[in-house]
């Protein structure tokens, strides 16, 4: 056994509790912002600045693991973090990433076609 903390963050709203009386699902951008805030509050601040019950040492390496749309969320989180935090991330693991097969979905086929068409149109406009 190792002394390795494991933190699991579900998508906001995916856990149900009987005491919830008013609940609205969050959009994807809000989900991403929620996770970035968690990382900033619990994984970035030094222990003496963090008033929460849980915090980890500032020298601890981080590994992010995501499944399906969680892989996309990880990619967006990486874009939101500063360089010091990114240096602590040693690995990201993507399990069955949605972004990998997105172009094979019905909406993905349409968006892929439009992206190909509009990219040539934009190149044509730039040329002239």
């Amino acid at each position: 056994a190792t002394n390795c903390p494991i933190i699991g963050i579900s998508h906001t709203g995916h856990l149900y509790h009987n005491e919830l009386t008013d609940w609205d699902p969050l959009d994807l951008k809000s989900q991403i912002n929620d996770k970035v805030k968690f990382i900033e509050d619990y994984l970035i601040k030094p222990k003496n600045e963090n008033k929460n019950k849980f915090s980890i040492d500032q020298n601890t390496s981080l590994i992010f693991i995501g499944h399906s749309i969680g892989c996309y969320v990880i990619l967006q989180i990486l874009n939101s973090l500063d360089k010091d935090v990114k240096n602590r991330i040693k690995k990201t693991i993507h399990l069955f990433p949605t972004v990998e097969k997105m172009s094979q979905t019905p909406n993905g086929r349409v968006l892929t076609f439009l992206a190909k068409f509009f990219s040539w149109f934009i190149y044509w406009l730039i040329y002239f």
Side-chain angles (χ1 to χ4, degrees), residues 9-42:
I9 307 171
S10 68
H11 295 298
T12 307
H14 274 229
L15 296 176
Y16 179 77
H17 194 277
N18 290 335
E19 294 178 11
L20 290 175
T21 57
D22 186 26
W23 175 82
D24 290 320
L26 296 178
D27 62 357
L28 189 56
K29 184 173 176 111
S30 298
Q31 291 282 349
I32 294 165
N33 291 338
D34 190 49
K35 281 148 191 69
V36 169
K37 183 173 177 3
F38 178 88
I39 291 167
E40 289 171 347
D41 289 349
Y42 290 92

Side-chain angles (χ1 to χ4, degrees), residues 4 10 13 15 17-19 24 26 29 35 40 47 62 66 73 80-81 85 93 99 105 108 111 126:
C4 178
S10 68
L15 296 176
H17 194 277
N18 290 335
E19 294 178 11
D24 290 320
L26 296 178
K29 184 173 176 111
K35 281 148 191 69
E40 289 171 347
K47 285 185 180 184
L62 303 172
V73 171
S80 301
L81 297 175
V85 179
I93 300 171
V99 292
T105 64
L111 290 174
I126 292 171

Side-chain angles (χ1 to χ4, degrees), residues 56-74:
I56 63 173
D57 186 270
Q58 289 298 289
N59 298 320
T60 302
S61 298
L62 303 172
I63 298 173
F64 290 170
I65 302 173
H67 175 267
S68 189
I69 197 67
C71 300
Y72 177 79
V73 171
I74 288 173

Side-chain angles (χ1 to χ4, degrees), residues 74-86:
I74 288 173
L75 294 174
Q76 297 307 309
I77 288 171
L78 292 175
N79 289 333
S80 301
L81 297 175
D82 65 19
K83 185 178 178 183
D84 293 335
V85 179
K86 285 182 186 178

